[in-house]
Amino acid sequence: MASRCARTCAAASPGPFALACLALLHAQARAPLAPRPCFVHVGKAGGGTIRSFLDANRLVPHEYHLKPLPRDHLRRGVCSSVVVSLRDPVDRAVSAFNWRHFVGGKEHVPRSAEDLRVETQLYGCFPNVTAFAQAFLRPASTDNCTRLARWAVRPNVRPRDFPAKGHLWKGFRYHLMGAMSRLRHQPLFVAR
């Protein structure tokens, strides 16, 4: 399998697929029975594509998607290396907003009537991401839509309270902040 993946890595080079594949090969070559690599899948940063590539090559890392990489996983040796998918933060926020928008976005089935109400209210206020971004230029308490936009990107609001929110504010900082001090002791691969 390693030689097949190495050929695939070489064919995909340069790019996030090759990088993720090489990171996993690096970890497997060092110790085939050692802990697996950890894949930090930052939402709307190409992680789904990287995940599909890893699956196709039968590479199975620990995956952290919409949840932070636990610091103790690095300390206890759960992760042999760390692969992170990253994207320009503004591009990622635009993608996250559009991803669930009912005009041009993917069709999503809300998990509850409350999810439907909140998403309908947010996307009813903002027909596109430009209108959403302009809400941050207005004073904080001007109207309900402005308050809703600011609420949608606040980190202390749980994603279950606002399903689209998970991808809006859970970027690189959210996923790695608790583990940053331990990352210098790990092989780290960034796919952009």
Side-chain angles (χ1 to χ4, degrees):
M1 179 180 83
S3 63
R4 181 174 70 103
C5 189
R7 284 192 306 274
T8 306
C9 287
S13 184
F17 308 120
L19 186 58
C21 190
L22 288 171
L24 295 171
L25 282 175
H26 167 77
Q28 290 174 355
R30 281 190 9 218
L33 300 177
R36 294 179 293 165
C38 291
F39 173 41
V40 179
H41 177 165
V42 177
K44 310 316 299 167
T49 304
I50 293 170
R51 178 83 228 161
S52 296
F53 179 81
L54 297 174
D55 290 345
N57 286 281
R58 296 185 188 109
L59 298 169
V60 185
H62 297 285
E63 184 170 358
Y64 302 90
H65 181 55
L66 294 178
K67 60 184 176 186
L69 173 64
R71 180 184 172 139
D72 70 321
H73 281 202
L74 299 176
R75 189 181 70 246
R76 291 184 300 137
V78 172
C79 302
S80 58
S81 60
V82 178
V83 177
V84 182
S85 64
L86 294 180
R87 183 176 184 183
D88 175 82
V90 174
D91 291 343
R92 197 186 69 73
V94 168
S95 180
F97 179 88
N98 290 334
W99 181 60
R100 289 191 69 92
H101 200 291
F102 49 74
V103 177
K106 287 174 102 176
E107 186 174 330
H108 290 278
V109 176
R111 293 176 284 198
S112 69
E114 179 62 13
D115 288 353
L116 177 62
R117 185 190 67 75
V118 170
E119 287 189 11
T120 300
Q121 186 179 2
L122 177 75
Y123 292 125
C125 284
F126 306 108
N128 55 50
V129 73
T130 302
F132 179 71
Q134 288 171 342
F136 294 95
L137 300 175
R138 297 191 291 264
S141 62
T142 57
D143 60 68
N144 191 45
C145 287
T146 301
R147 285 190 297 275
L148 184 61
R150 291 173 186 272
W151 174 75
V153 297
R154 288 183 54 192
N156 61 345
V157 177
R158 298 175 303 236
R160 70 179 175 84
D161 293 334
F162 182 53
K165 180 180 179 48
H167 285 93
L168 271 172
W169 72 271
K170 287 187 173 182
F172 171 76
R173 181 174 187 235
Y174 168 81
H175 283 87
L176 292 175
M177 188 50 74
M180 289 297 280
S181 64
R182 301 286 311 170
L183 281 176
R184 66 176 178 227
H185 305 292
Q186 301 287 137
L188 175 64
F189 301 87
V190 176
R192 292 188 39 195

